[in-house]
Amino acid sequence: MPKPGDLVQVTRAASVQFVEPIRCRVIRVLDWITYDRWVWLDVYELNEKGDAVARRSIFVQPAGLRIHRAAPTPRRPARPTAVADVRQAIRAARAPAAPTPPGNPRPAHG
């Protein structure tokens, strides 16, 4: 079953209406009642460059779709402590300056 974000090629194997294959980006799988092994998909039809040229709802058999690239999966940060390091740097920058020790007066600005 395709997922939102998947890039699929829709051919005659998915539905007889697609004599000429089209490439699409899946927006969502609709939960409409259909025949067994058929689904309605909301998709963006893509041109040769990969730009969306039309929004369509298509009725297909998922087994006949060719998924070229699945939706990207979220990645974990490469360095989980990076956020903590940034927070420590921000705290250090906000910290008040250390008081001047007694007997060491600050020079007067003239």
Side-chain angles (χ1 to χ4, degrees), residues 2-63:
K3 298 179 294 238
D6 283 350
L7 182 64
V8 297
Q9 184 170 17
V10 185
T11 65
R12 194 173 185 101
S15 178
V16 296
Q17 67 181 326
F18 296 102
V19 176
E20 301 232 358
I22 63 170
R23 289 184 339 161
C24 300
R25 168 98 42 213
V26 177
I27 301 169
R28 65 184 170 150
V29 178
L30 298 167
D31 60 353
W32 298 347
I33 297 172
T34 65
Y35 296 105
D36 281 341
R37 297 182 302 264
W38 288 81
V39 295
W40 280 97
L41 300 176
D42 263 352
V43 299
Y44 289 117
E45 185 176 349
L46 307 175
N47 64 11
E48 299 79 32
K49 293 180 181 179
D51 298 326
V53 292
R55 182 173 178 166
R56 300 177 63 170
S57 293
I58 58 175
F59 188 55
V60 296
Q61 295 179 359

